[in-house]
Amino acid sequence: MSLLLERIRKSYREPGGNRIPVLGIQRFAMNQGEQVALIGASGGGKTTLLNIISGILTPDSGRVVVDGSDIAAKQEVVRDRFRAAKIGIVFQTFNLLPAFSALENVLLGMSFSGRGVDRAFAKQLLERVGLGHRLHHSPQKLSVGEQQRVAVARSLANKPVLLLADEPTANVDLANQQLILDLIRDTCRDHNVTLLMVTHSSDVAGTFARVENLKDFNRPELCLQEQSV
Amino acid sequence: MNLISIAWKSLKQRRLASCLTAFSIALGVMLMVLVLVMFGAVDSAFTQRSIAYDLIVGPKGSDLQLVLSAVYRMQPPIENLPYLYLEQMKNDRRVISAVPLAFGDVTQEGSFPIIGTTPEYFENDYMPGRAFKIRGTRVNGLLDTIIGYEVARKNGWDIGSSFTIVHGGAESGHVHDEKFVVVAVLAPTGTANDRTVFLNLEGFYAIAGHSKPVAEVEKRLRDFYAADPERLAAAMTQIEAFRKAETEEAGAAHNHAHHHHHETPDAMKEVTAILIKTRPEAPFDSLSLTSQLQTGYQAMAVNPVRPIQKLVTGLLGNIQKALVALTGIIILVSGVGIFVSIYNSMADRRREIGIMRALGARRMHVFGIVLSESTLLCVGGGLLGWFIGHSLAVIAAPWLIEKTGLLINPWAVNPWEATLFPILVGLAALVGFLPAMTAYRTNVADALSS
Ligand SMILES: Nc1ncnc2c1ncn2[C@@H]1O[C@H](COP(=O)(O)OP(=O)(O)OP(=O)(O)O)[C@@H](O)[C@H]1O
Ligand SMILES: [Mg+2]
C-alpha cells in the first residue's frame, strides 16, 4: 500500500475560538501506482486533505501512512525531509519561483532532498514535458500551460512515490489541459508513482478508473463527536 | 543549488534595491578603508621604529622639533651643537656609533633638504635590520652628493647630474655659487632619506657662508660648556688661534673667495644633531646618557620615536577614532537600509517561501536563505568597498606621498579592517534576523493558498 489514511480528524480554529470541522475520514487507501481523481464541493477540504498527506499540515488525530511510515506522528523537520524525498506536489497556479529559470526550478526541487542535484535528469524531465528548448527561460516568459509543465517536471524531480496534484489544469486552456493531464498520468504510470489528483472537471475525472468524491468518505461531524466524548 | 546561490538569485530578482543597499555598505567601508590607510601611513611613519638609532642629541629646546628636523626633516633646525661635542660623544664608552647631521640648506630645485654627514651614516642601518642600498660611487670631493630616491625621481636627477642649493630655506632665495654633483643614488627606503640630499660634513662646512662669525661661535661655546671649564678652555685655545690666523689673513688683503682655503679648527664647526647608537646589550645606556645630558651641557638627548608617538597617538589617534566611528555609522545606517529592503520584500515572497517549503525546504532553510541575502549584501558590499577603498588609495598614493612625504602603503591592511568583516557578518545577522524569522514562521498552507 502506498497511501493509507486512518481515523483522520482535522478542524480549523477560528480566531474567535470556534472550531470548524473539516475532515473526518475513517479510512482511505491507495495502492502503489494507483491513480485517483478526487472531486468534491468547493470548501469541502480537498486541499486540506492533500496538505495533510504531504505533511504540510498535521491532522488533529489519526494516521497518515505514506510508503510505510506514519508521517503525521513525525516532527516537522522529518516531515519536510520526507516530503522532499517522497512526495511530488503540483498546485493550481504559480507553482514556480520567478527568480529561477525553468531548469533551476526543477533543480530547486532536488536541492532540499539531501541527495544532491542531477542536472541531466532535470533536463530529461523538461524534455519529457516538451520544454527541452526552454530550459533557461524564466517563468515570466512561459505561458501558464508551460509553467504547469515545468511544475510537473519539478514534482517528479526526486522520483517520488506519491504525486499530489491540486487542480493542476484549472487555469490552463483546453489543448494544454489534455497535454498536462496526459503528461502527469503517463509519467506517473511510467515511474509507478501513485497519483492523487484533485479536479473540478468531470471531463478530467471521467478519464480516471477510480474517482472518489470527498463527501462520500468524509464526515467532518466526527470531529465534534470525538470532542464531546 | 545551495542556500547561498538561492539567496543570490533572489537578490538578482530585486536588482535595484540589492545594488543600492550593497553600494551604500560599500561606500561606508570604502571611507573607512581610506581613513585607515591614511592614518596607517601617519602611524607607521611616526610611531614605529623608523630609525635605527637609539637617541638623537641636539641643542636644548623642543624635543618634538628636534625629532621632526633630524628624523623627518620637516622642520628647519633651531640651534646647533659644537662639533667638539660630537667627538666627546664618540669617546663615550656607552656609544657605539655617533653620526653627525648638519643642515640648513635646500636644493634650488624641489627644495629638498641638504644634510652634511659622515660615511658612517650609510654604513649604519636606516631602519632596524635594513641597510642602505647605494648605486654609484663614494663621496670624495667636497661637492659630491648622494641623493635620496625621491629626489632623483622628482627632479629627474641621476649620477652625474649637477645642481645648486639655496641657503636657509627656499624663501630666502640666496642661491649658493657651488655646483654640486650627484655621485650616488639611494634605493627607496620609505623614510625621509628618500627626500634628502647628502654630502660630506667637510663639504657642508665648505659651502660659502656656513662659517659663522668667530664672536658668535665663541659665545655659543661659552654657553654650551659653562659647566665644563676644562673643555671650554681647550676650545677657546683653538678659537684664539683661528682668530689670529683670520686677522693675519685679512691684513694680507686676501681675496674674499679664497678665505676658506685654510683649515677651519674643530671648535669653529657645528653640527645640527647627533644620532647615537648605544650598545644593544646595555639597554640602560641610552637612559643614563639621556639623564646625564639633561644636567651636563646645553644639549639634550631624545628618543627618536617617543615625542612624535605621543603627538600621533594623542591627537591624531583621537581624530582617527572619530572618523572611523563616523564611517561605522554610515555602515550601520546602510545595514538599516538592507533590513528595510529585505523586510519589505518578505510580503511579496510569502508564496515563494510556501513553494520552497512544499518542495521540502525546512524552516531553517528558508531562514538561512534570507540570512544569506543580508550576508551577501553586507559582506559583498563590504568587499566591494574594501577593494574600491584600496584602489583609490593606490591611485592617490603617489600624490599623497608627494604632498605629505608620508610613505603610503595602499594595500596595508589595518587590524581594524580585519575585524571589519566579522563585524559586517554580525551586522548581516542583525539586520537579516527579523526578515529571516518572518520566513521561518511562514505558515505554508496559508502561504500556498494566497
Ligand atoms: N487556515 C484556515 N483557517 C480556517 N479555516 C480554513 C483554513 N484553511 C481552510 N479553511 C476552511 O476549511 C475548509 C476547507 O478548505 P479547503 O481549502 O481544504 O477546501 P477545498 O476543498 O480545497 O476547496 P476548493 O475546492 O475551493 O479549493 C473551507 O471551509 C475553508 O474555509
Ligand atoms: Mg482547494
Side-chain angles (χ1 to χ4, degrees):
Chain A
M1 208 158 315
S2 175
L3 172 67
L4 173 65
L5 304 177
E6 278 184 328
R7 293 185 301 283
I8 297 296
R9 306 289 180 264
K10 178 70 182 176
S11 52
Y12 287 112
R13 201 175 289 275
E14 274 201 322
N18 295 359
R19 284 161 65 105
I20 311 167
V22 180
L23 295 177
I25 298 169
Q26 284 307 90
R27 188 185 147 87
F28 179 85
M30 287 176 72
N31 289 324
Q32 184 63 48
E34 196 179 5
Q35 302 195 342
V36 171
L38 182 64
I39 58 170
S42 182
K46 303 181 294 297
T47 299
T48 304
L49 179 60
L50 292 196
N51 280 342
I52 284 175
I53 295 170
S54 67
I56 288 172
L57 290 177
T58 49
D60 300 335
S61 62
R63 280 170 22 101
V64 180
V65 182
V66 179
D67 201 30
S69 44
D70 178 7
I71 61 161
K74 298 209 155 63
Q75 281 197 316
E76 188 185 58
V77 280
V78 181
R79 297 200 308 273
D80 289 337
R81 199 179 303 138
F82 187 87
R83 177 166 65 253
K86 302 251 166 138
I87 301 172
I89 305 177
V90 182
F91 309 108
Q92 187 171 332
T93 45
F94 304 116
N95 275 290
L96 304 182
L97 290 160
F100 299 81
S101 71
L103 179 63
E104 286 165 347
N105 262 282
V106 178
L107 294 174
L108 195 72
M110 295 171 169
S111 53
F112 299 113
S113 68
R115 288 190 299 229
V117 298
D118 182 348
R119 280 184 93 84
F121 185 57
K123 282 185 188 164
Q124 201 181 313
L125 283 168
L126 283 167
E127 271 156 28
R128 178 77 211 267
V129 300
L131 292 173
H133 58 299
R134 316 208 62 174
L135 297 177
H136 303 293
H137 283 62
S138 75
Q140 298 93 299
K141 293 194 187 114
L142 301 173
S143 72
V144 178
E146 286 168 331
Q147 287 179 31
Q148 284 304 79
R149 278 145 66 186
V150 175
V152 170
R154 190 182 61 190
S155 70
L156 297 166
N158 292 322
K159 302 179 178 149
V161 294
L162 175 64
L163 188 80
L164 303 172
D166 199 349
E167 302 178 53
T169 57
N171 286 334
V172 177
D173 62 86
L174 267 175
N176 263 305
Q177 200 169 320
Q178 195 56 49
L179 181 70
I180 289 164
L181 207 60
D182 290 346
L183 264 174
I184 293 176
R185 299 197 62 182
D186 293 349
T187 41
C188 281
R189 198 172 297 121
D190 294 350
H191 295 98
N192 195 30
V193 176
T194 310
L195 172 65
L196 180 60
M197 185 189 285
V198 172
T199 181
H200 276 131
S201 154
S202 47
D203 289 346
V204 172
T207 62
F208 280 75
R210 181 178 165 196
V211 181
E212 296 279 359
N213 192 327
L214 186 58
K215 77 172 190 316
D216 294 339
F217 62 96
N218 181 26
R219 289 161 57 214
E221 63 275 14
L222 288 173
C223 297
L224 298 173
Q225 282 172 16
E226 265 162 43
Q227 192 190 21
S228 60
V229 170
Chain B
M1 252 183 282
N2 56 28
L3 299 188
I4 306 240
S5 63
I6 294 170
W8 176 249
K9 287 265 148 64
S10 103
L11 287 178
K12 264 167 72 183
Q13 182 78 357
R14 293 173 286 121
R15 202 164 285 130
L16 185 66
S18 302
C19 283
L20 287 178
T21 50
F23 197 76
S24 68
I25 288 272
L27 192 76
V29 172
M30 180 196 87
L31 290 174
M32 187 177 277
V33 164
L34 286 178
V35 167
L36 291 176
V37 165
M38 243 143 66
F39 280 86
V42 173
D43 202 58
S44 66
F46 290 122
T47 65
Q48 281 151 31
R49 276 208 70 99
S50 49
I51 182 163
Y53 293 92
D54 301 293
L55 288 174
I56 302 170
V57 176
K60 266 207 164 59
S62 151
D63 53 358
L64 190 62
Q65 197 166 10
L66 179 58
V67 173
L68 280 176
S69 62
V71 181
Y72 299 99
R73 298 173 195 147
M74 282 178 171
Q75 291 252 324
I78 338 117
E79 282 288 329
N80 286 331
L81 294 171
Y83 179 83
L84 294 172
Y85 192 59
L86 170 68
E87 298 298 324
Q88 202 178 322
M89 282 289 118
K90 280 185 171 161
N91 292 335
D92 194 300
R93 59 172 181 82
R94 290 164 296 190
V95 173
I96 55 170
S97 178
V99 180
L101 296 179
F103 54 106
D105 292 357
V106 298
T107 58
Q108 193 184 3
E109 192 183 337
S111 297
F112 292 105
I114 309 279
I115 293 202
T117 186
T118 55
E120 203 177 344
Y121 185 80
F122 298 101
E123 287 155 17
N124 289 340
D125 291 352
Y126 62 90
M127 258 191 223
R130 305 249 198 106
F132 280 106
K133 290 193 193 71
I134 308 173
R135 181 171 58 82
T137 55
R138 281 183 64 93
V139 172
N140 288 318
L142 293 180
L143 300 178
D144 289 354
T145 62
I146 297 176
I147 61 173
Y149 180 77
E150 275 297 302
V151 180
R153 195 186 64 84
K154 190 77 189 311
N155 284 358
W157 292 348
D158 203 348
I159 294 161
S161 302
S162 64
F163 59 94
T164 50
I165 67 175
V166 182
H167 181 66
E171 302 81 34
S172 79
H174 172 69
V175 181
H176 287 286
D177 301 328
E178 291 91 344
K179 276 265 178 209
F180 292 87
V181 181
V182 177
V183 297
V185 180
L186 298 178
T189 62
T191 65
N193 293 311
D194 294 353
R195 288 176 287 110
T196 306
V197 172
F198 299 92
L199 70 168
N200 259 341
L201 209 50
E202 288 69 33
F204 189 86
Y205 294 135
I207 298 169
H210 274 197
S211 46
K212 298 234 163 57
V214 184
E216 193 185 322
V217 176
E218 186 185 336
K219 187 184 173 300
R220 185 106 33 103
L221 283 169
R222 283 187 192 284
D223 281 350
F224 193 86
Y225 284 117
D228 193 345
E230 206 172 304
R231 284 205 170 80
L232 181 62
M236 283 307 129
T237 319
Q238 288 189 24
I239 293 286
E240 285 314 316
F242 180 70
R243 185 173 273 149
K244 232 174 99 193
E246 230 185 15
T247 36
E248 273 166 20
E249 195 177 297
H254 258 271
N255 179 323
H256 170 81
H258 293 144
H259 95 275
H260 55 260
H261 261 209
H262 60 84
E263 197 60 34
T264 312
D266 286 351
M268 280 301 291
K269 296 178 187 167
E270 292 184 328
V271 296
T272 310
I274 303 166
L275 304 174
I276 303 268
K277 266 182 173 221
T278 51
R279 295 174 302 175
E281 71 276 11
F284 293 109
D285 279 2
S286 72
L287 286 179
S288 71
L289 209 56
T290 307
S291 62
Q292 186 192 330
L293 286 174
Q294 224 122 45
T295 51
Y297 303 92
Q298 286 301 305
M300 64 176 183
V302 299
N303 179 294
V305 179
R306 214 156 297 140
I308 308 271
Q309 203 166 35
K310 263 194 281 185
L311 184 77
V312 170
T313 49
L315 179 66
L316 295 182
N318 284 334
I319 295 175
Q320 178 187 14
K321 281 195 196 95
L323 287 176
V324 167
L326 212 64
T327 56
I329 289 169
I330 296 176
I331 293 172
L332 207 69
V333 170
S334 311
V336 173
I338 288 181
F339 166 75
V340 171
S341 155
I342 297 182
Y343 198 81
N344 280 346
S345 77
M346 292 314 292
D348 303 332
R349 290 161 67 189
R350 251 173 72 80
R351 182 160 177 97
E352 293 173 39
I353 289 163
I355 292 169
M356 283 198 262
R357 292 292 312 280
L359 292 173
R362 286 170 233 159
R363 287 185 195 270
M364 276 320 283
H365 284 141
V366 292
F367 181 88
I369 288 167
V370 175
L371 214 56
S372 303
E373 285 177 30
S374 69
T375 308
L376 281 173
L377 289 176
C378 283
V379 176
L383 278 173
L384 182 76
W386 186 85
F387 191 77
I388 295 177
H390 281 289
S391 302
L392 283 181
V394 169
I395 295 167
W399 181 83
L400 277 169
I401 289 170
E402 188 167 305
K403 288 284 176 231
T404 63
L406 294 176
L407 190 85
I408 302 216
N409 177 0
W411 292 107
V413 176
N414 191 290
W416 288 43
E417 283 174 58
T419 57
L420 181 65
F421 284 90
I423 288 172
L424 282 176
V425 171
L427 181 70
L430 199 69
V431 301
F433 183 76
L434 267 182
M437 270 323 280
T438 310
Y440 184 90
R441 289 214 202 93
T442 302
N443 180 316
V444 185
D446 284 357
L448 288 171
S449 66
S450 58

